[in-house]
Amino acid sequence: MVSTTVMENGKSSPPRKPCSVGIGPGNYQIVGWDMDTTGKRVIDEICQIAGYTPSCSYSQYVMPYKDLNPPAMKRHNMKVVTIGKFRVLKENKTNKVLKTKSEVSALTDFLTWLESIKSDATDGVILVYHEPRKVIPAMLLESLKKYNLLDRFKQTVKGFANGFNVAEAKCTSTVNAFTLRTLSRTLLNQEKELDNAKDRACLALQIVQHLSSLEHTNGTEANGSGDSDSAIQKTVEFIREFVQPIEVEEQEYAELKIVFERQNSLKPIFGVLLRVNRRERQHTSPLRRLLAEAGIEYSQLQEAWSNGKKEGLEKLIREKLIAAEEKKIEDLLIVLEGHFDPEKKPRSRILQDKQEIKMENNKISDDHKNNNKCDSDTHSPDTTTSNSPLKPKSELEDSAFIPEE
């Protein structure tokens, strides 16, 4: 899940600062938490769920219905393979078959574990995770809702705290990157493998504990253990302002689903472009998201084109995207005009750049050929007699592309 720009009365409001709601004082239990998934979309499936406290931990692999996408296979060091009539989850490196459960069984066991460690924390559990692009809280809530487990979850868990936001707020002047790997190396002096959800859950909790101890000791004799009750309470107090209650997460996800629906309505424009290659996806995906977050649907673009062609599109885009960069507006207009006017090719700036490069290379090739011909006419004797055959054309073309030293 990502923070979005919400439209009100046709005007864009600035994105809400993530995890800025916070919770009141209380008696809370903090738990490191993470999940491995088949991809990074909310509709993707869980393939491992893990929780960690200094006294106990939980980890369970889940058998997904679909395969992991290639980036997820590499990131999580696992893959789905078929053995005979059965699909199994295997580690990539060791080729070891992993013991899995169904998603509903794993979630039920996870809830039972959370209830057991809640203990005397009368105000509930805070799940601490670490993710630059917030996705897994929405994925967890969606999965719990699917199996009618959300109400039970709410009775135990108060909210989520993203360690990435904590580190970003507290380490801006000392750390350039806020990834788990960088923070582990910089703050804890540890090099850990991060392909397992259990290890990341442990590390997410250790980092916020370490940052808490640094703040309470002013940087002297700090350590990341935080095992004592007093240390845990200090950590809770330290991260309270970063905790997002479940109700707020649900509200944000509901708003985000509206953005997803708008993105789907834009499929006639961006569907083909997103399948071209990775570079094209990186270029056009933010443009599609920009339109969706501004509240623009395909029907509005169609109407704007019908009423005023390119000028109509530009008027709509500039009215809705008041704070957008000029380059992004120009790129959007290129894509949109190329879609609604098929004679306007190419349909994206990248494809346009490729065509311009190709045309420039052809021009250079023609110039080389002309120069070679002129030099031959001016300085060389006539060798095109019947006794002197012409040099093959392919050799002339090849020589024209030899790079100059």
Side-chain angles (χ1 to χ4, degrees), residues 16 81 342:
R16 202 173 21 224
V81 299

Side-chain angles (χ1 to χ4, degrees), residues 37-226:
T37 57
T38 57
K40 287 200 169 185
R41 300 171 301 171
V42 178
I43 62 173
D44 286 312
E45 300 175 65
I46 300 170
C47 48
Q48 185 187 11
I49 184 168
Y52 171 85
T53 70
S55 59
C56 62
S57 62
Y58 172 86
S59 177
Q60 178 60 58
Y61 289 100
V62 178
M63 189 67 228
Y65 285 100
K66 61 183 179 181
D67 296 345
L68 286 75
N69 64 31
M73 288 173 58
K74 183 178 180 181
R75 185 167 56 248
H76 303 320
N77 183 35
M78 66 177 76
K79 59 186 175 183
V80 175
V81 299
T82 301
I83 301 178
K85 297 181 180 180
F86 302 97
R87 297 169 74 249
V88 297
L89 203 61
K90 277 190 173 185
E91 281 190 359
N92 286 335
K93 296 177 182 177
T94 63
N95 213 32
K96 175 185 175 183
V97 175
L98 301 169
K99 186 177 180 180
T100 61
K101 286 188 176 182
S102 66
E103 188 176 61
V104 62
S105 296
L107 289 172
T108 302
D109 290 348
F110 180 58
L111 288 180
T112 301
W113 179 76
L114 288 175
E115 290 163 353
S116 69
I117 65 168
K118 180 182 176 183
S119 187
D120 298 328
T122 55
D123 293 299
V125 171
I126 298 171
L127 295 181
V128 178
Y129 67 103
H130 195 103
E131 196 175 32
R133 178 177 174 266
K134 189 169 65 171
V135 176
I136 57 174
M139 296 181 72
L140 178 61
L141 294 178
E142 189 72 4
S143 297
L144 291 167
K145 184 178 179 181
K146 182 167 56 176
Y147 301 112
N148 297 317
L149 295 171
L150 186 56
D151 289 339
R152 180 181 171 186
F153 179 76
K154 289 180 178 179
Q155 292 174 5
T156 303
V157 178
K158 179 66 176 179
F160 301 89
N162 191 346
F164 183 91
N165 293 327
V166 179
E168 192 174 32
K170 302 296 183 179
C171 305
T172 303
S173 59
T174 56
V175 180
N176 293 327
F178 307 104
T179 63
L180 272 178
R181 192 178 302 279
T182 300
L183 293 172
S184 174
R185 187 185 303 120
T186 305
L187 300 179
L188 306 180
N189 196 27
Q190 297 178 2
E191 291 284 352
K192 286 191 174 183
E193 292 292 332
L194 302 178
D195 54 16
N196 190 287
K198 183 179 178 180
D199 294 335
R200 294 196 306 276
C202 172
L203 198 55
L205 182 59
Q206 287 179 341
I207 286 173
V208 296
Q209 287 177 329
H210 183 83
L211 292 174
S212 172
S213 66
L214 284 175
E215 183 157 296
H216 285 94
T217 59
N218 293 321
T220 59
E221 298 181 0
N223 61 70
S225 61

